[in-house]
Amino acid sequence: MESWWKCALVGLVFLIRQGLCSSSASELAALQKEYGEWRLQRSPEYTTTIGLYKYNDQVENYAYSGFEEEYNKCFSLLSRLKQNVNYNQLEAKEKIDYDVFNDSLSTIVQGNDWKDYNALNPIHFLEGPQIDPTYLPKITPFDTVGDYENYIRRLELHPTQIDDMIGRFNKSIEKGHTYHRVSVSRVPGQIEKLLTSYNTTTFPYYKPLLDQLSKLQTITDSKKTNLQERAKSAVEKIIQKLSELKQYLENVYFNHLRTGLGVNSWDNGAAFYRACLRWHLSLDMTPEEVHNKGLQEVERISSEMKKVMTKLNHQGSVKEFFDNIRSDPSFLFQSGDEIVQWYKNAIKNDIEPKLSAYFKDLPNLPVDVEPNPNDGVSGQYIAGPPDGSRPGVFQVNVHRPNESVKIGFMALLIHETLPGHHLQISVASTVKNPDFRKYMTGHFFNIPMEAAFYTSYVEGWALYAEYLGEEMKLYKTDYDLMGRYGSEIFRACRLVVDTGLHHYNWTREKAIEYMLNYTASSEKKIAIEIDRYITWPGQACAYKIGELKIKELRKKAEDELGSKFDIREFHASVLKVGSLPLHVLEKIVNQWIVETKNKAAESSKTCTSNGANTNTYTNWISLAVITLTFILQQT
Ligand SMILES: *[C@@H]1O[C@H](CO)[C@@H](O)[C@H](O)[C@H]1NC(C)=O
Ligand SMILES: *[C@@H]1O[C@H](CO)[C@@H](O)[C@H](O)[C@H]1NC(C)=O
Ligand SMILES: *[C@@H]1O[C@H](CO)[C@@H](O)[C@H](O)[C@H]1NC(C)=O
Ligand SMILES: *[C@@H]1O[C@H](CO)[C@@H](O)[C@H](O)[C@H]1NC(C)=O
Ligand SMILES: *[C@@H]1O[C@H](CO)[C@@H](O)[C@H](O)[C@H]1NC(C)=O
Ligand SMILES: *[C@@H]1O[C@H](CO)[C@@H](O)[C@H](O)[C@H]1NC(C)=O
């Protein structure tokens, strides 16, 4: 009797503990799912982009009241996370999930304090409805009459979106948190270009109503005419609204521009800049720390460049060195085909054979090189689906082969493909992460009232990969090395200049001069860069800070582990978690160091060989279901 009773009690305790365990884990999973679903609903156009068509008749809400909705939702999720999920009952992998989820929600909840700052200014020379009207037709399916009905609905809702943006601008004037002239002075010209280049039926929004529609057999002619008439009327209203937007900017908003370049000229602006840095870096760093890191890095890279230039017998400045190269035909290509072939060969012959010494368990996801359909960025990476059915694609600019200088190619290739973004995203796609972490969408102008997208991790890795290229001896000549330093110093200068503008009260001229002193870029290109930093405070700092953090963690691991340090294991610990905040990465690597030490101590005690990887957080299992739409541009 007694022993039966005891047994039942043990069983009950066991059941309860089991029940609690799985309830924390399943509650975490449920909350993450709810959040992911809600994010997609909030970004209907983006949801279309990733091939989910359930919100194709809806558009993103730009109304000021949307902030409150966002805050309430995230606050509620965060409360339920705190209340219903017991951190200590989670498995190692789930703890990381918790940390990232908590960071995502907390970022938005805390960001709400800043909703009346940059976020009130949704249009500038890099973002807004005037930037790319070909985007919506490009992402939309046009296979059925329903597809056309949805699309026209979206066109009809677009003027309201623009009105809501103007509503935010009005509020920005009221609060005294408007842009500086450099952020918006180009916008009326951008709008004017659309208005003068197109009429209603040639406007990009109308294009799907032409050939594409006429070829569709399943729609009657009278229905086609009906769709065209309605689309025409919707496009006319959009054109009208864009014209009103232009007048509004010129006649109202431009009368209230801020005069200080930096956001620290706003009330409480110094704290706002701190919040922006925190959002972009996913680390708590002061502007002074970021600035000083930048100065150190610029000095270090600059002296490396001088060493190489001396070796190459070049006496002049960095700029003169690159100018000489640009005019030397032996560093240029004759055709776009040659450029594509160069990259393909470099992947096959130079990079791939060296990967296994630095990485383990690499998924076999192929990468292809293609010409970029549009002139513009020098290269961009477009990830394939995680099942490998389509390769990742590295698109290279082939439009001006006689201006494409070979010496920057290796660094760019490493950054975008292997061991940069392609390798990073291929590995991340094999980790079973919650869906919301595969959706990277949002607007830079909203920051820090915006869902995090962890640029410092993503781009930090790609810059670290450029560095790793030196160890891997991928830069075969001193010229290739100069190409690498040329792109690296640009990222280092950004730390100095961004903080210079928003914290140290630098003038635009001083910022331009600083970058002219250390980089090879033209004054025209630098001026556009500077205007971007003024518009997106803190954003440009993410790349270098991310790289420095990964290097710092590696150094720490090497110091603590000594001969037990294994570069392949270290890289796995950084990559097999997917995109996340750097402060969480730091925790993960620290944990990995401790585990590696313990394992080493144990195996020396028991003398048993242990080949299995017991890192539980590297949950190396089934492929993610949702297609990751990931386009990374060299920015
Ligand atoms: C959740 O995030 C907040 C804000 O970063 C932090 O203060 C808190 O300690 C985190 N909670 C847990 C359980 O880690
Ligand atoms: C914005 O302000 C202008 C000028 O004060 C006003 O005419 C307009 O109605 C306002 N628009 C919105 C959407 O609030
Ligand atoms: C728009 O421009 C095209 C090409 O210039 C022209 O064929 C068409 O008639 C114009 N449509 C309208 C409505 O003016
Ligand atoms: C490259 O070629 C184009 C067209 O052939 C020419 O206009 C341009 O000046 C050339 N650029 C350089 C740097 O030689
Ligand atoms: C920048 O200027 C503001 C206002 O003029 C001033 O309060 C602040 O101390 C200055 N910052 C620095 C770092 O000099
Ligand atoms: C640029 O270089 C010149 C010459 O060395 C120097 O006098 C100037 O202070 C530098 N400018 C900046 C902003 O660092």
Side-chain angles (χ1 to χ4, degrees):
M1 175 72 195
E2 203 196 317
S3 74
W4 172 84
W5 204 81
K6 207 168 150 190
C7 191
L9 194 64
V10 170
L12 192 64
V13 169
F14 179 76
L15 274 175
I16 289 169
R17 296 190 69 212
Q18 280 291 91
L20 278 179
C21 271
S22 62
S23 104
S24 268
S26 64
E27 179 69 12
L28 174 64
L31 290 172
Q32 292 183 123
K33 186 159 185 283
E34 182 180 334
Y35 175 68
E37 274 298 312
W38 176 76
R39 279 245 75 83
L40 290 183
Q41 218 175 325
R42 293 271 300 166
S43 315
E45 293 94 338
Y46 179 74
T47 305
T48 304
T49 311
I50 60 172
L52 296 177
Y53 294 154
K54 54 185 166 180
Y55 307 123
N56 277 13
D57 59 341
Q58 295 169 36
V59 297
E60 186 173 345
N61 175 18
Y62 284 89
Y64 183 72
S65 57
F67 290 133
E68 197 179 338
E69 192 190 316
E70 182 111 1
Y71 174 80
N72 289 342
K73 180 73 190 181
C74 293
F75 187 85
S76 143
L77 284 164
L78 195 57
S79 310
R80 282 142 68 200
L81 180 69
K82 276 185 202 155
Q83 242 158 46
N84 304 345
V85 179
N86 184 336
Y87 190 79
N88 295 323
Q89 288 175 343
L90 299 172
E91 305 275 337
K93 161 77 169 87
E94 292 157 359
K95 282 186 171 146
I96 295 172
D97 288 347
Y98 183 105
D99 289 339
V100 178
F101 190 37
N102 179 31
D103 182 84
S104 299
L105 296 173
S106 304
T107 296
I108 293 173
V109 168
Q110 288 165 13
N112 189 62
D113 292 349
W114 303 108
K115 67 177 185 301
D116 288 340
Y117 283 72
N118 235 52
L120 294 179
N121 303 279
I123 298 168
H124 56 79
F125 79 112
L126 296 165
E127 290 178 284
Q130 83 287 8
I131 298 293
D132 183 14
T134 69
Y135 175 74
L136 186 64
K138 234 181 323 202
I139 61 164
T140 306
F142 291 106
D143 298 324
T144 66
V145 68
D147 289 340
Y148 276 93
E149 292 286 354
N150 287 338
Y151 177 70
I152 291 170
R153 181 80 196 120
R154 278 187 165 165
L155 295 183
E156 287 167 351
L157 290 169
H158 192 42
T160 306
Q161 288 181 298
I162 298 177
D163 266 336
D164 286 340
M165 294 180 200
I166 295 175
R168 285 203 199 184
F169 271 143
N170 276 352
K171 191 119 191 146
S172 144
I173 294 171
E174 185 191 310
K175 298 277 177 188
H177 294 154
T178 54
Y179 281 131
H180 188 273
R181 178 167 295 279
V182 298
S183 301
V184 280
S185 60
R186 297 173 182 89
V187 176
Q190 291 172 331
I191 297 176
E192 187 61 23
K193 180 142 188 264
L194 291 180
L195 298 178
T196 53
S197 306
Y198 305 114
N199 65 31
T200 309
T201 51
T202 57
F203 207 88
Y205 289 135
Y206 193 75
K207 202 157 175 251
L209 279 294
L210 299 170
D211 283 359
Q212 216 167 342
L213 177 62
S214 68
K215 283 192 205 123
L216 257 193
Q217 307 285 332
T218 51
I219 303 180
T220 64
D221 284 349
S222 68
K223 184 67 193 172
K224 284 178 183 169
T225 309
N226 168 278
L227 291 170
Q228 284 173 330
E229 288 309 314
R230 282 157 55 210
K232 231 180 266 180
S233 151
V235 174
E236 253 161 42
K237 288 186 181 119
I238 292 172
I239 291 174
Q240 175 60 31
K241 191 54 75 180
L242 285 170
S243 159
E244 282 173 35
L245 171 63
K246 177 171 175 279
Q247 285 163 29
Y248 169 82
L249 289 170
E250 290 175 329
N251 301 334
V252 182
Y253 187 76
F254 284 7
N255 296 331
H256 302 274
L257 298 171
R258 77 169 187 251
T259 51
L261 273 183
V263 290
N264 62 338
S265 62
W266 285 337
D267 63 286
N268 215 11
F272 173 71
Y273 184 54
R274 279 289 300 262
C276 289
L277 278 180
R278 201 188 141 72
W279 193 98
H280 286 292
L281 307 182
S282 57
L283 283 178
D284 219 355
M285 284 177 78
T286 65
E288 289 87 354
E289 285 169 324
V290 174
H291 191 78
N292 291 334
K293 284 242 187 252
L295 290 173
Q296 281 166 18
E297 281 293 281
V298 169
E299 271 319 305
R300 181 185 65 75
I301 303 161
S302 180
S303 85
E304 293 294 331
M305 289 171 105
K306 280 190 193 122
K307 273 188 235 161
V308 180
M309 289 192 298
T310 305
K311 229 169 124 188
L312 294 170
N313 268 325
H314 173 81
Q315 320 293 341
S317 69
V318 167
K319 177 140 177 27
E320 282 158 355
F321 178 88
F322 281 95
D323 283 347
N324 290 345
I325 299 239
R326 281 196 197 101
S327 57
D328 181 343
S330 66
F331 289 106
L332 303 173
F333 284 93
Q334 299 306 313
S335 71
D337 285 348
E338 257 185 89
I339 295 179
V340 171
Q341 204 49 53
W342 186 96
Y343 279 117
K344 286 189 175 180
N345 291 344
I347 292 176
K348 266 268 133 339
N349 305 330
D350 300 331
I351 303 183
E352 281 183 345
K354 290 185 171 165
L355 288 177
S356 63
Y358 293 84
F359 299 94
K360 52 181 280 211
D361 302 343
L362 282 181
N364 184 25
L365 293 179
V367 61
D368 208 353
V369 184
E370 284 176 5
N372 194 340
N374 304 309
D375 200 354
V377 290
S378 49
Q380 67 180 2
Y381 172 70
I382 303 174
D387 62 6
S389 59
R390 195 159 39 75
V393 176
F394 172 44
Q395 290 188 332
V396 296
N397 193 324
V398 295
H399 296 273
R400 285 161 287 125
N402 63 352
E403 290 173 23
S404 297
V405 183
K406 209 182 282 187
I407 72 167
F409 278 21
M410 185 49 94
L412 178 65
L413 181 65
I414 291 173
H415 183 108
E416 301 291 343
T417 66
L418 299 163
H421 288 316
H422 176 69
L423 186 145
Q424 170 186 46
I425 289 167
S426 301
V427 172
S429 73
T430 63
V431 183
K432 201 168 174 296
N433 275 333
D435 286 344
F436 83 88
R437 287 181 56 198
K438 296 169 205 139
Y439 315 140
M440 305 246 290
T441 180
H443 304 292
F444 284 113
F445 66 79
N446 261 340
I447 290 163
M449 176 67 195
E450 183 57 280
F453 31 89
Y454 306 130
T455 314
S456 55
Y457 174 89
V458 176
E459 293 295 340
W461 173 263
L463 259 194
Y464 170 78
E466 286 183 37
Y467 155 75
L468 202 60
E470 280 187 48
E471 275 182 45
M472 294 169 76
K473 304 210 168 15
L474 295 176
Y475 304 105
K476 286 195 260 187
T477 68
D478 287 325
Y479 290 100
D480 291 335
L481 211 48
M482 277 300 282
R484 143 155 175 70
Y485 291 141
S487 86
E488 190 187 19
I489 204 164
F490 207 85
R491 273 59 163 261
C493 283
R494 286 169 165 178
L495 303 185
V496 177
V497 168
D498 198 283
T499 50
L501 291 162
H502 293 291
H503 181 74
Y504 290 104
N505 300 331
W506 280 26
T507 62
R508 188 164 177 269
E509 290 67 37
K510 182 169 179 184
I512 291 174
E513 187 185 291
Y514 185 85
M515 294 200 69
L516 275 176
N517 275 1
Y518 289 104
T519 72
S521 289
S522 68
E523 183 163 350
K524 195 171 152 216
K525 190 185 159 203
I526 289 174
I528 294 173
E529 278 277 319
I530 302 291
D531 294 346
R532 164 186 145 174
Y533 310 155
I534 292 167
T535 310
W536 288 337
Q539 195 274 337
C541 300
Y543 309 71
K544 190 77 201 169
I545 292 295
E547 180 221 19
L548 289 173
K549 177 52 79 180
I550 295 170
K551 274 183 172 171
E552 175 199 313
L553 293 174
R554 176 171 161 182
K555 172 90 173 47
K556 183 176 181 207
E558 283 171 345
D559 288 350
E560 294 200 11
L561 295 175
S563 64
K564 302 283 182 302
F565 178 83
D566 178 340
I567 187 74
R568 299 163 85 229
E569 297 290 344
F570 171 76
H571 286 155
S573 81
V574 172
L575 288 171
K576 285 186 181 182
V577 286
S579 162
L580 42 62
L582 291 180
H583 65 86
V584 178
L585 180 69
E586 185 153 30
K587 191 167 156 183
I588 290 167
V589 173
N590 283 335
Q591 229 166 287
W592 170 77
I593 293 173
V594 172
E595 279 168 26
T596 308
K597 270 188 199 160
N598 290 347
K599 233 192 302 178
E602 221 161 84
S603 68
S604 70
K605 234 188 285 164
T606 60
C607 292
T608 55
S609 77
N610 180 3
N613 177 5
T614 54
N615 285 343
T616 43
Y617 57 82
T618 55
N619 209 338
W620 185 242
I621 35 177
S622 68
L623 294 172
V625 186
I626 296 213
T627 307
L628 187 75
T629 310
F630 227 115
I631 301 182
L632 291 160
Q633 294 185 337
Q634 178 82 329
T635 42

